[in-house]
Amino acid sequence: MLSKPLGFVKDELEALKRDGLYNAIRTLEGPQGPWVTINGQAMLNFCSNNYLGLAADPRLKQAAQEAIEKYGVGPGAVRSIAGTMTLHQKLEEALARFKKAPAVISFQSGFAANLAVIPALVGKGDTIYSDSLNHASIIDGCRLSRAEIKVYDHCDMESLEERLKEPAAGRKLIITDGVFSMDGDIAPLPESVELAEKYGAITMVDDAHGEGVLGTNGRGIVDHFGLHGRVDVEVGTLSKALGVVGGYVAGAPELIEYLAQRGRPFLFSSAVTPADVAAAIAAVEILDSDDQLVQKLWANARYFKSHIKELGFDIGRSETPITPVMIGEAAAAGEFSRRLFAEKVFAQSIGYPTVPRGKARIRVMVSASHSREDLDYGIVAFEKVGKEMGLI
Ligand SMILES: *Cc1c(COP(=O)(O)O)cnc(C)c1O
């Protein structure tokens, strides 16, 4: 029973259900992969950020098992008190090499990395310039910093420059997602770096959906644009293309040293486990040595996107494997997703507040591990449901 002061929670839940915004979370009865098992039924998986299919890769599983034997299961406490394991340092060195960055510090998640780095760099009296569609963890990191937040129009460099021209005391920090998670478009990073250089701002990019996807061997957006050495702060995650869990910041050695002294999630929350770290190292080694998975991901994305467009669906401004199939109202997107589910296709609808009202969509995440037959199966289901609902 809810106490009286907590009674509003029930009203909020009812309002979400009434507005078609309630998210019924599905339970998977096995590993992540191109197909997953839900209610005992194999379902085509179009939901995960496991871009390269590494989440259940035998090489990662073996690395994790060996790490458990050697290092146990837990880190003991926060690294600054209990000491840090060689394994975490090895991951940071591997990531720095892979990203061609001078140094790296790892965190528990990409979310934690943003909460660590933004308040460490700016505070009261400073100014942040933030893309209007930046990820929730960037927004929260910005708010936590108590710096003034100036939001510029999405990927609009004129809008960014207008904000930069406004009077501002203190430090300046420009922050953008590399690849935008809901639309799959790529930030105009070279232009924003030039503006940062012109106005003396720190540059930061969150490459969560870029690594393992963009650049040679999936090195990410900085590599994609050849901007090595010109982006001050790169945030990354180990939970998407790399298939495990964890986050990190890449940058100058002094920045990394500073974050180990001032990044609050580093100082007050324990590190990811040895098994996670070892699996992530294995993932980085696979990417470093072979671009086959990245190539397969792009081939699959091109195939799926071209067929979906031919059917008459609008996929917005996607330039990456993230494929938003635009539906409109949240309730219709929810209905579309439920009908796909009946066709054994697991593809989540995404509505307000994750995307603006009226811009609800089915976000399709294809992966390198899908076969052509898998993609065809999904395309047929989209055609059937689209016609049933009168959308194509
Ligand atoms: C997914 C995502 C994160 C969060 O990463 P986790 O490691 O899952 O916490 C942060 N930033 C962006 C842009 C993301 O897309």
Side-chain angles (χ1 to χ4, degrees), residues 86-135:
T86 45
L87 208 51
H88 291 83
Q89 288 170 343
K90 205 176 150 208
L91 171 65
E92 288 160 350
E93 285 159 17
L95 283 168
R97 261 197 316 278
F98 178 64
K99 301 289 281 187
K100 298 188 176 169
V104 162
I105 182 169
S106 65
F107 292 92
Q108 302 81 357
S109 67
F111 203 113
N114 277 322
L115 297 193
V117 68
I118 301 168
L121 295 180
V122 287
K124 254 199 163 101
D126 299 328
T127 309
I128 296 170
Y129 305 84
S130 178
D131 186 286
S132 63
L133 293 187
N134 275 346
H135 187 262

Side-chain angles (χ1 to χ4, degrees), residues 109-111 114 135 137 177 181 206 208-209 237 239-240 246:
S109 67
F111 203 113
N114 277 322
H135 187 262
S137 57
D177 273 27
S181 52
D206 181 340
H209 283 279
T237 175
S239 71
K240 290 178 175 140

Side-chain angles (χ1 to χ4, degrees), residues 93-371:
E93 285 159 17
L95 283 168
R97 261 197 316 278
F98 178 64
K99 301 289 281 187
K100 298 188 176 169
V104 162
I105 182 169
S106 65
F107 292 92
Q108 302 81 357
S109 67
F111 203 113
N114 277 322
L115 297 193
V117 68
I118 301 168
L121 295 180
V122 287
K124 254 199 163 101
D126 299 328
T127 309
I128 296 170
Y129 305 84
S130 178
D131 186 286
S132 63
L133 293 187
N134 275 346
H135 187 262
S137 57
I138 296 179
I139 295 171
D140 287 6
C142 291
R143 290 178 180 161
L144 207 52
S145 77
R146 300 202 278 165
E148 186 183 347
I149 303 162
K150 291 183 190 271
V151 176
Y152 61 89
D153 296 341
H154 176 58
C155 287
D156 182 338
M157 293 298 101
E158 280 175 25
S159 168
L160 171 58
E161 185 156 23
E162 275 167 28
R163 300 283 171 287
L164 283 163
K165 278 181 180 160
E166 291 164 10
R171 295 176 204 142
K172 301 185 175 97
L173 172 65
I174 301 174
I175 306 184
T176 183
D177 273 27
V179 173
F180 289 85
S181 52
M182 293 301 142
D183 292 278
D185 51 339
I186 301 174
L189 200 57
E191 292 79 6
S192 97
V193 166
E194 268 171 34
L195 286 175
E197 287 165 354
K198 182 170 165 189
Y199 290 90
I202 304 164
T203 44
M204 170 174 156
V205 66
D206 181 340
D207 204 19
H209 283 279
E211 57 217 351
V213 178
L214 297 177
T216 31
N217 292 53
R219 289 180 207 285
I221 191 167
V222 169
D223 189 79
H224 171 77
F225 283 122
L227 290 171
H228 297 288
R230 291 177 68 197
V231 175
D232 296 304
V233 186
E234 281 182 76
V235 167
T237 175
L238 307 173
S239 71
K240 290 178 175 140
L242 292 170
V244 195
V245 72
Y248 64 92
V249 173
E254 296 85 346
L255 170 69
I256 301 314
E257 193 184 344
Y258 177 67
L259 290 175
Q261 305 298 318
R262 282 283 179 271
R264 288 171 67 84
F266 183 88
L267 296 172
F268 297 102
S269 179
S270 294
V272 285
T273 72
D276 299 318
V277 177
I281 294 169
V284 174
E285 284 169 356
I286 290 168
L287 273 180
D288 222 356
S289 64
D290 185 0
D291 74 344
Q292 263 184 36
L293 289 174
V294 179
Q295 296 294 346
K296 177 89 186 300
L297 168 69
W298 279 94
N300 279 352
R302 278 191 293 270
Y303 182 83
F304 183 81
K305 288 165 82 172
S306 69
H307 280 78
I308 284 291
K309 274 200 284 195
E310 259 169 41
L311 286 174
F313 287 107
D314 170 15
I315 61 165
R317 50 179 180 256
S318 168
E319 303 169 78
T320 61
I322 296 171
T323 307
V325 181
M326 298 299 178
I327 306 294
E329 291 312 313
E335 176 63 18
F336 201 106
S337 174
R338 277 189 293 280
R339 289 184 187 220
L340 285 175
F341 199 79
E343 302 295 326
K344 304 189 182 59
V345 175
F346 180 35
Q348 202 62 260
S349 66
I350 294 178
Y352 180 82
T354 310
V355 296
R357 288 187 197 275
K359 294 253 173 119
R361 64 203 61 187
I362 306 290
R363 188 180 65 152
V364 178
M365 304 297 282
V366 301
S367 86
S369 57
H370 286 115
S371 67

